[in-house]
Amino acid sequence: MNNSFFTSIGLGSIDFGILVLVLAVVILILLILNIVNICSISKLKGKYNKFMQGKNAKSLESEIVGLFDDNKFIKNAVDKNKKDINTLYHKLESSFQKIGIIKYDAFNQMGGKLSFCLALLDENNNGFILNSVHSTEGCYSYTKVIENGECKISLGEEESRALNIAMGMTQ
């Protein structure tokens, strides 16, 4: 079927049936794409309705501003907590954290292990050793300063053991 319109646009030799078939395929493809778009829009509309549930633009804006305020409050609280933790850490650095104690019988005839050596150290192994010797005449206490885990005065066996326990070297 020759049509003057088809001839004028340069398609005079194309069969009208083929043209209708091609147009039907194009329409079918466009219909499928339209259905896919409708499904996508429907899902998006469902998500939007869930997000906007009971809200309008003004209430949504105030809620977002509230979230930003909460975020600022949380950030300030975290910063304050960090400062407080650092302050506590520096204070605890010099407190006694390590303890070692040895009970012993200073004089074999006494019994009861009433004498003791107590080592108290901070994080940097600075502190002192308290040696309390119990005898029949009384109780005598001695202290020795510990700096960086060492004492400038020689230590007795019990004092050395208490110091090693405090530094975690032996049990």
Side-chain angles (χ1 to χ4, degrees):
M1 171 186 217
N2 288 337
N3 190 332
S4 62
F5 173 72
F6 290 138
T7 307
S8 67
I9 60 171
L11 299 174
S13 63
I14 294 180
D15 186 21
F16 185 69
I18 294 174
L19 183 62
V20 170
L21 184 63
V22 169
L23 288 177
V25 170
V26 168
I27 288 173
L28 183 63
I29 291 171
L30 289 175
L31 184 63
I32 291 171
L33 289 175
N34 197 18
I35 291 171
V36 169
N37 281 337
I38 289 172
C39 290
S40 296
I41 288 172
S42 175
K43 287 180 184 177
L44 188 61
K45 189 174 182 181
K47 289 178 182 178
Y48 175 77
N49 286 336
K50 187 176 180 180
F51 176 70
M52 294 298 289
Q53 197 171 24
K55 297 176 179 77
N56 58 26
K58 279 213 179 269
S59 67
L60 186 60
E61 181 182 351
S62 65
E63 191 162 323
I64 290 172
V65 168
L67 289 174
F68 278 115
D69 291 341
D70 290 347
N71 192 17
K72 286 178 186 176
F73 174 76
I74 290 170
K75 186 176 185 232
N76 289 337
V78 166
D79 289 342
K80 183 185 178 306
N81 288 342
K82 284 181 182 177
K83 288 177 186 174
D84 290 346
I85 288 170
N86 283 336
T87 301
L88 288 172
Y89 177 76
H90 290 301
K91 285 182 179 180
L92 286 175
E93 217 173 22
S94 61
S95 67
F96 295 125
Q97 300 176 18
K98 302 173 185 179
I99 300 170
I101 188 164
I102 295 291
K103 289 186 72 165
Y104 66 98
D105 190 7
F107 305 102
N108 291 332
Q109 73 271 12
M110 290 289 296
K113 293 189 176 184
L114 299 175
S115 300
F116 66 90
C117 286
L118 175 66
L120 296 173
L121 304 175
D122 65 6
E123 184 177 307
N124 300 316
N125 292 330
N126 296 323
F128 64 89
I129 293 178
L130 174 66
N131 190 354
S132 180
V133 180
H134 186 63
S135 70
T136 55
E137 291 98 34
C139 184
Y140 304 96
S141 297
Y142 306 95
T143 60
K144 294 181 181 178
V145 176
I146 305 297
E147 292 178 352
N148 297 320
E150 295 181 6
C151 183
K152 294 180 182 175
I153 304 171
S154 63
L155 298 175
E157 177 186 341
E158 292 83 7
E159 294 169 330
S160 294
R161 286 178 47 209
L163 181 61
N164 288 337
I165 288 172
M167 292 193 309
M169 298 173 110
T170 60
Q171 290 293 335

